[in-house]
Amino acid sequence: MFRLSNLIKSSIEDLPQRRLNGAIAIWNFTNRCNLSCLHCYSKAGLEAQDHLTTQKIMQTIPQLKKGGVKFVIFSGGEPLTRKDIFDIAEAMREEGIATYLSTNGLYIHHSNVKRIIDTFSYIGISIDGTQTIHDRFRGLEGSYAMSLKAIDLIHEHGGRVGIRFTITKETIDALKHIFELAETIGIDKIYISHLVYSGRGLDNLKMDLTKEQRKEAVTYIIQKAFEYYETGKDIDIVTGNMEMDAVMLLNALEQKDAEAAKRLRKRLLAWGGNSAGRNLVNIDSEGNVKPDPFFPERIGNIFEKPFDAIWLDNENSLLQKLREFPRKICGKCENCEWIEICNGGSRPRAWAIHGDLWAEDPSCYVQ
């Protein structure tokens, strides 16, 4: 994740840098879902069966702590399809692990909204544009209205909620709408995810932006982040799956404040770009442990080996290469001046297009 708003504020005001002393785990607790989103990397559906029992998940939670995991993002499928989801989250909190919820919002009701707010440190609800675009993209008419109703419910009960938006050719025309919506209904965070070619995202590779479209979109996103900072609007902007956005932000800040840009460069070097396999890990709905949710290779399985033994295995060759800094990436990355900032970007995208985990990220739009 690339935290634009936080980096703008901390660089301009020379504030202490936020550091993650540990790892973030994205855990797909289920592959069941009530929607059929075009970009879904897990190809989820309601017919899917849960492979992870409550007992197995509970056994794994202390192993997460041993492995240095500080945050767990509850994902899926739709995580709220699991009846044990609150018990799981409570067990994590008892181990000192923060819990974030990523949901489509359709299972948030008056009967459970307060418990959701009390259980999860952050709630992100997927909105992919205007009503027409969102409903088509999510595969269910009326889903936009239901997701907005969930946001209203959270606000009514005093909770904080963010919007999660995936930017593709299908949704790019709604980018402005997402910011207007956030400003209108009082959203705390806008998380904009770039498409990674995996699952239905790989099946729909034609959905991805051109480099020109991406650069124009990111320019707009950065302008909004500066606007919010300058006007004091408390909306946090974060992008995901495109570490090259950091280069765009650095170039933009250099035009505004040279000294702040120097501080930003130091922060970006400390951040280190793509963190898959370093301080980002995924556990999928079958217990496979992967460097990120889109990765074509696993590094282990919690049914075969404890999580901490998998994650802390310094002899694993894939983890060794991912944790090398900067990574040894071929193609245009090999001699790129920005490699220490982006760290080569997405390895799953490189695999999907080039068949090589260590090829350049084909979606890189930075010259």
Side-chain angles (χ1 to χ4, degrees):
M1 289 183 289
F2 181 57
R3 304 179 184 280
L4 277 81
S5 299
N6 176 267
L7 283 165
I8 289 172
K9 180 179 177 64
S10 64
S11 298
I12 292 176
E13 299 181 14
D14 197 14
L15 301 174
Q17 188 174 355
R18 286 177 58 183
R19 291 185 179 275
L20 176 64
N21 185 25
I24 296 174
I26 300 172
W27 195 336
N28 304 91
F29 287 101
T30 180
N31 209 35
R32 284 185 291 123
C33 188
N34 51 340
L35 296 178
S36 299
C37 306
L38 292 177
H39 67 302
C40 179
Y41 60 82
S42 61
K43 295 187 177 181
L46 277 176
E47 72 283 354
Q49 305 236 334
D50 287 337
H51 295 277
L52 296 167
T53 64
T54 305
Q55 181 182 19
K56 185 59 186 176
I57 293 169
M58 293 299 190
Q59 289 173 347
T60 304
I61 292 172
Q63 299 166 12
L64 296 178
K65 185 176 181 179
K66 289 180 182 177
V69 171
K70 302 295 185 181
F71 299 88
V72 173
I73 299 174
F74 283 52
S75 188
E78 170 51 55
L80 289 178
T81 60
R82 290 195 65 121
K83 295 180 180 179
D84 58 0
I85 204 72
F86 297 109
D87 294 332
I88 294 168
E90 183 57 36
M92 287 189 184
R93 292 175 63 184
E94 289 175 0
E95 292 285 359
I97 299 172
T99 57
Y100 292 2
L101 176 66
S102 178
T103 174
N104 59 43
L106 273 61
Y107 287 149
I108 297 178
H109 306 294
H110 285 284
S111 59
N112 65 6
V113 63
K114 190 65 169 64
R115 192 174 186 188
I116 290 171
I117 293 168
D118 292 342
T119 299
F120 295 99
S121 305
Y122 169 74
I123 305 163
I125 294 183
S126 299
I127 300 287
D128 285 300
T130 61
Q131 179 175 341
T132 301
I133 293 173
H134 176 94
D135 287 358
R136 182 177 66 244
F137 199 67
R138 294 275 158 181
L140 179 66
E141 186 175 350
S143 59
Y144 177 84
M146 287 186 277
S147 294
L148 288 189
K149 184 177 179 181
I151 291 172
D152 288 342
L153 269 175
I154 293 169
H155 282 156
E156 287 171 14
H157 287 79
R160 294 169 62 86
V161 60
I163 287 176
R164 301 175 60 85
F165 173 78
T166 301
I167 186 167
T168 70
K169 284 180 179 175
E170 300 280 332
T171 65
I172 188 170
D173 289 340
L175 181 60
K176 184 178 180 181
H177 169 81
I178 290 298
F179 283 91
E180 292 174 345
L181 180 66
E183 294 165 15
T184 301
I185 65 177
I187 289 296
D188 299 295
K189 178 187 291 186
I190 303 172
Y191 175 83
I192 300 168
S193 177
H194 294 270
L195 184 68
V196 179
Y197 318 138
S198 179
R200 293 194 189 104
L202 180 56
D203 296 339
N204 293 277
L205 180 57
K206 62 182 182 293
M207 292 194 313
D208 199 23
L209 304 180
T210 65
K211 288 177 170 55
E212 292 75 19
Q213 285 177 314
R214 193 179 309 282
K215 189 170 184 178
E216 182 178 348
V218 174
T219 298
Y220 175 76
I221 293 165
I222 290 172
Q223 287 173 348
K224 293 300 291 185
F226 276 115
E227 175 192 321
Y228 289 168
Y229 172 73
E230 290 162 1
T231 60
K233 193 176 292 293
D234 190 19
I235 300 177
D236 190 22
I237 301 177
V238 179
T239 65
N241 307 315
M242 190 61 64
E243 289 76 20
M244 289 67 78
D245 293 352
V247 178
M248 290 281 286
L249 178 62
L250 180 59
N251 289 337
L253 188 55
E254 283 175 342
Q255 302 302 313
K256 292 174 173 286
D257 187 330
E259 290 304 311
K262 291 177 183 177
R263 293 190 287 269
L264 174 60
R265 181 182 287 270
K266 290 181 180 178
R267 284 164 165 75
L268 293 177
L269 290 171
W271 167 63
N274 186 277
S275 61
R278 190 175 76 237
N279 54 28
L280 175 65
V281 62
N282 169 244
I283 305 174
D284 72 14
S285 59
E286 296 183 356
N288 293 311
V289 181
K290 299 183 292 183
D292 73 26
F294 311 100
F295 228 82
E297 296 182 18
R298 68 174 199 168
I299 55 174
N301 187 290
I302 60 173
F303 287 100
E304 301 167 359
K305 195 174 182 179
F307 171 82
D308 54 310
I310 296 169
W311 185 238
L312 300 177
D313 182 3
N314 294 324
E315 302 301 317
N316 184 287
S317 59
L318 178 56
L319 288 178
Q320 285 177 344
K321 294 189 75 171
L322 287 171
R323 291 170 180 174
E324 191 175 12
F325 186 81
R327 293 173 183 157
K328 299 294 189 296
I329 309 297
C330 59
K332 73 175 187 178
C333 298
E334 194 168 1
N335 299 306
C336 180
E337 65 177 303
W338 305 115
I339 187 66
E340 291 185 339
I341 288 181
C342 76
N343 206 22
S346 170
R347 300 300 85 222
R349 277 198 294 256
W351 173 263
I353 300 304
H354 303 295
D356 181 358
L357 278 173
W358 313 108
E360 66 186 58
D361 184 337
S363 288
C364 176
Y365 61 98
V366 175
Q367 299 302 317

PDB file of all heavy atoms in Angstrom, residues 272-283:
ATOM      1  N   GLY A 272      10.624   1.334   0.739  1.00  0.00           N
ATOM      2  CA  GLY A 272      11.181   0.211  -0.011  1.00  0.00           C
ATOM      3  C   GLY A 272      10.308  -0.396  -1.078  1.00  0.00           C
ATOM      4  O   GLY A 272      10.596  -1.485  -1.570  1.00  0.00           O
ATOM      5  N   GLY A 273       9.221   0.272  -1.452  1.00  0.00           N
ATOM      6  CA  GLY A 273       8.435  -0.203  -2.587  1.00  0.00           C
ATOM      7  C   GLY A 273       7.684  -1.497  -2.324  1.00  0.00           C
ATOM      8  O   GLY A 273       7.248  -1.775  -1.209  1.00  0.00           O
ATOM      9  N   ASN A 274       7.543  -2.309  -3.363  1.00  0.00           N
ATOM     10  CA  ASN A 274       6.753  -3.540  -3.276  1.00  0.00           C
ATOM     11  C   ASN A 274       7.257  -4.422  -2.142  1.00  0.00           C
ATOM     12  O   ASN A 274       8.445  -4.747  -2.062  1.00  0.00           O
ATOM     13  CB  ASN A 274       6.826  -4.296  -4.603  1.00  0.00           C
ATOM     14  CG  ASN A 274       5.912  -5.510  -4.621  1.00  0.00           C
ATOM     15  OD1 ASN A 274       6.269  -6.562  -4.138  1.00  0.00           O
ATOM     16  ND2 ASN A 274       4.731  -5.338  -5.169  1.00  0.00           N
ATOM     17  N   SER A 275       6.354  -4.814  -1.249  1.00  0.00           N
ATOM     18  CA  SER A 275       6.748  -5.507  -0.018  1.00  0.00           C
ATOM     19  C   SER A 275       6.296  -6.960   0.026  1.00  0.00           C
ATOM     20  O   SER A 275       6.388  -7.604   1.069  1.00  0.00           O
ATOM     21  CB  SER A 275       6.181  -4.762   1.189  1.00  0.00           C
ATOM     22  OG  SER A 275       4.760  -4.744   1.129  1.00  0.00           O
ATOM     23  N   ALA A 276       5.785  -7.499  -1.095  1.00  0.00           N
ATOM     24  CA  ALA A 276       5.347  -8.897  -1.111  1.00  0.00           C
ATOM     25  C   ALA A 276       6.490  -9.813  -0.706  1.00  0.00           C
ATOM     26  O   ALA A 276       7.590  -9.745  -1.242  1.00  0.00           O
ATOM     27  CB  ALA A 276       4.856  -9.264  -2.511  1.00  0.00           C
ATOM     28  N   GLY A 277       6.246 -10.656   0.281  1.00  0.00           N
ATOM     29  CA  GLY A 277       7.270 -11.577   0.753  1.00  0.00           C
ATOM     30  C   GLY A 277       8.209 -10.982   1.777  1.00  0.00           C
ATOM     31  O   GLY A 277       9.017 -11.701   2.368  1.00  0.00           O
ATOM     32  N   ARG A 278       8.096  -9.670   1.990  1.00  0.00           N
ATOM     33  CA  ARG A 278       8.951  -8.993   2.967  1.00  0.00           C
ATOM     34  C   ARG A 278       8.138  -8.622   4.203  1.00  0.00           C
ATOM     35  O   ARG A 278       8.399  -9.138   5.281  1.00  0.00           O
ATOM     36  CB  ARG A 278       9.599  -7.757   2.344  1.00  0.00           C
ATOM     37  CG  ARG A 278      10.685  -7.144   3.224  1.00  0.00           C
ATOM     38  CD  ARG A 278      11.390  -5.992   2.522  1.00  0.00           C
ATOM     39  NE  ARG A 278      10.602  -4.780   2.498  1.00  0.00           N
ATOM     40  CZ  ARG A 278      10.259  -4.123   1.393  1.00  0.00           C
ATOM     41  NH1 ARG A 278      10.623  -4.578   0.206  1.00  0.00           N
ATOM     42  NH2 ARG A 278       9.548  -3.012   1.456  1.00  0.00           N
ATOM     43  N   ASN A 279       7.186  -7.721   4.069  1.00  0.00           N
ATOM     44  CA  ASN A 279       6.279  -7.457   5.187  1.00  0.00           C
ATOM     45  C   ASN A 279       4.819  -7.514   4.756  1.00  0.00           C
ATOM     46  O   ASN A 279       3.946  -6.959   5.421  1.00  0.00           O
ATOM     47  CB  ASN A 279       6.586  -6.125   5.886  1.00  0.00           C
ATOM     48  CG  ASN A 279       6.608  -4.959   4.932  1.00  0.00           C
ATOM     49  OD1 ASN A 279       5.943  -4.962   3.892  1.00  0.00           O
ATOM     50  ND2 ASN A 279       7.381  -3.942   5.263  1.00  0.00           N
ATOM     51  N   LEU A 280       4.582  -8.230   3.661  1.00  0.00           N
ATOM     52  CA  LEU A 280       3.222  -8.525   3.215  1.00  0.00           C
ATOM     53  C   LEU A 280       3.129 -10.005   2.893  1.00  0.00           C
ATOM     54  O   LEU A 280       3.980 -10.551   2.182  1.00  0.00           O
ATOM     55  CB  LEU A 280       2.861  -7.711   1.971  1.00  0.00           C
ATOM     56  CG  LEU A 280       1.499  -8.023   1.339  1.00  0.00           C
ATOM     57  CD1 LEU A 280       0.367  -7.636   2.298  1.00  0.00           C
ATOM     58  CD2 LEU A 280       1.342  -7.320   0.003  1.00  0.00           C
ATOM     59  N   VAL A 281       2.091 -10.669   3.420  1.00  0.00           N
ATOM     60  CA  VAL A 281       1.916 -12.095   3.206  1.00  0.00           C
ATOM     61  C   VAL A 281       0.425 -12.385   3.055  1.00  0.00           C
ATOM     62  O   VAL A 281      -0.422 -11.628   3.545  1.00  0.00           O
ATOM     63  CB  VAL A 281       2.517 -12.913   4.377  1.00  0.00           C
ATOM     64  CG1 VAL A 281       1.810 -12.591   5.695  1.00  0.00           C
ATOM     65  CG2 VAL A 281       2.500 -14.413   4.089  1.00  0.00           C
ATOM     66  N   ASN A 282       0.126 -13.461   2.353  1.00  0.00           N
ATOM     67  CA  ASN A 282      -1.266 -13.862   2.137  1.00  0.00           C
ATOM     68  C   ASN A 282      -1.454 -15.316   2.568  1.00  0.00           C
ATOM     69  O   ASN A 282      -0.585 -16.153   2.352  1.00  0.00           O
ATOM     70  CB  ASN A 282      -1.619 -13.718   0.655  1.00  0.00           C
ATOM     71  CG  ASN A 282      -2.956 -14.358   0.287  1.00  0.00           C
ATOM     72  OD1 ASN A 282      -2.996 -15.300  -0.484  1.00  0.00           O
ATOM     73  ND2 ASN A 282      -4.030 -13.850   0.844  1.00  0.00           N
ATOM     74  N   ILE A 283      -2.599 -15.565   3.195  1.00  0.00           N
ATOM     75  CA  ILE A 283      -3.052 -16.939   3.418  1.00  0.00           C
ATOM     76  C   ILE A 283      -4.366 -17.075   2.666  1.00  0.00           C
ATOM     77  O   ILE A 283      -5.305 -16.309   2.901  1.00  0.00           O
ATOM     78  CB  ILE A 283      -3.265 -17.257   4.910  1.00  0.00           C
ATOM     79  CG1 ILE A 283      -2.007 -16.948   5.711  1.00  0.00           C
ATOM     80  CG2 ILE A 283      -3.674 -18.713   5.098  1.00  0.00           C
ATOM     81  CD1 ILE A 283      -2.183 -17.100   7.220  1.00  0.00           C
TER      82      ILE A 283
END
